């Protein structure tokens, strides 16, 4: 039997996208190494930040190796959709960690060697976020190009919407006391599941098996999700803060802060679904010559 020779594609490292990925690998590695050297990353927030940097480092390095050796065509998935979705997800995750880590881990005043390493790690994390954002910008589909759905604006917004829903789930607390709050949680859950399935089916090349026009189905779903989030935007703050004032003191795990965070994230996702609906409608009904 003849073994196939492995082809080395140096353009995977020398192209602008490859350079952005190299920066992401180096900066994420630098970030989690500095944080690990301090030994101060305990608790749920520190663990989440460490997971983010390690996860993004590992997957980006794997992407670089697969493209360098040109092994990605052997995978049973849409490679362009996968890399577009991951770069968008990594951008959001690293951005969140760049905000959460200094806010919850770094103490004030900052004067010790420990604090200096944490500050350098935060800076490296911010630069890593910029590297992933550059990759998203470089790989985003041009107007009229829908060969890779998750690289289009509606596709990137699907990743954004699913990620915001995950953040909402992490903040949910004491929502069983009111039917209105339970409805809001149902809205978050239903929209998250459907959006996640769209992402998975796109990456897995399974959308062709759906027995209906995909583009029009997405427009209909975005319209329905927009209406559902509109009700959640009204009901969540109405039932969460009705007759209740902000506790004093109100620390990091205070229920009031969590419910306020859910309120803002709901508004952000409402705007995301509105923009998604506008772009999806243009892609379906307005054809670019």
């Amino acid at each position: 039997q003849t073994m196939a020779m492995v082809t080395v594609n140096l353009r995977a490292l020398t192209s602008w996208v490859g350079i952005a990925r190299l920066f992401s690998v180096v900066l994420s590695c630098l970030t989690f190494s500095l944080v690990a050297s301090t030994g101060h990353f305990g608790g749920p927030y520190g663990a989440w930040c460490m997971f983010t940097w390690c996860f993004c480092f590992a997957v980006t390095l794997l992407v670089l190796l697969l493209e360098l050796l040109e092994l990605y065509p052997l995978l049973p998935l849409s490679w362009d959709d996968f890399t577009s979705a991951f770069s968008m997800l990594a951008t959001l995750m690293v951005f969140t960690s760049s905000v959460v880590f200094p806010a919850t881990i770094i103490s004030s005043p900052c004067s010790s060697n420990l604090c200096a390493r944490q500050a350098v790690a935060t800076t490296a994390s911010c630069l890593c976020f910029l590297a992933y954002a550059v990759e998203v910008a470089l790989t985003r589909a041009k107007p009229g190009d829908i060969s890779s759905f998750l690289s289009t604006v509606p596709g990137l917004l699907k990743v954004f919407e699913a990620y915001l829903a995950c953040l909402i789930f992490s903040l949910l607390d004491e929502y069983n006391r009111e039917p209105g709050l339970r409805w809001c949680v149902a809205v978050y859950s239903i929209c998250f599941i459907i959006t996640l399935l769209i992402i998975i089916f796109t990456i897995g090349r399974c959308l062709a098996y759906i027995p209906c026009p995909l583009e029009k189905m997405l427009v209909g779903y975005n319209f329905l999700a927009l209406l559902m989030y509109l009700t959640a935007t009204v009901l969540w703050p109405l039932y969460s803060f009705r007759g209740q004032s902000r506790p004093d003191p109100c620390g990091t795990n205070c229920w009031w802060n969590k419910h306020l965070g859910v309120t803002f994230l709901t508004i952000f996702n409402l705007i995301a679904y509105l923009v998604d609906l506008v772009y999806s409608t243009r892609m379906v009904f307005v054809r670019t010559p």
Side-chain angles (χ1 to χ4, degrees), residues 21 69 137 188:
R21 287 170 179 165
L69 302 177
Y188 304 142

Side-chain angles (χ1 to χ4, degrees), residues 140-179:
R140 188 174 72 86
K142 304 300 185 293
D145 180 13
I146 57 173
S147 58
S148 173
F149 171 69
L150 292 181
S151 65
T152 63
V153 173
L156 295 174
L157 283 171
K158 288 287 181 289
V159 181
F160 181 77
E161 292 153 4
Y163 183 74
L164 284 190
C166 290
L167 293 182
I168 290 174
F169 293 144
S170 69
L171 295 175
L172 287 179
D173 186 21
E174 299 181 6
Y175 57 84
N176 288 321
R177 67 177 187 271
E178 297 282 357

Side-chain angles (χ1 to χ4, degrees), residues 26-41 50 53-54 101 105 113-125:
V26 173
L27 290 169
S28 58
C29 180
L30 175 62
T31 303
F32 74 71
S33 299
L34 283 171
V35 175
S37 68
T38 65
H40 288 73
F41 53 89
M50 282 294 286
W53 297 318
C54 294
F101 181 76
I105 303 298
N113 178 54
L114 170 67
C115 188
R117 280 182 286 172
Q118 291 174 333
V120 173
T122 302
T123 304
S125 182

Side-chain angles (χ1 to χ4, degrees), residues 232-254:
T233 303
V234 175
L235 294 177
W236 180 266
L238 177 65
Y239 285 101
S240 292
F241 304 111
R242 185 176 58 180
Q244 301 189 67
S245 58
R246 187 175 188 270
D248 187 20
C250 189
T252 305
N253 293 318
C254 176

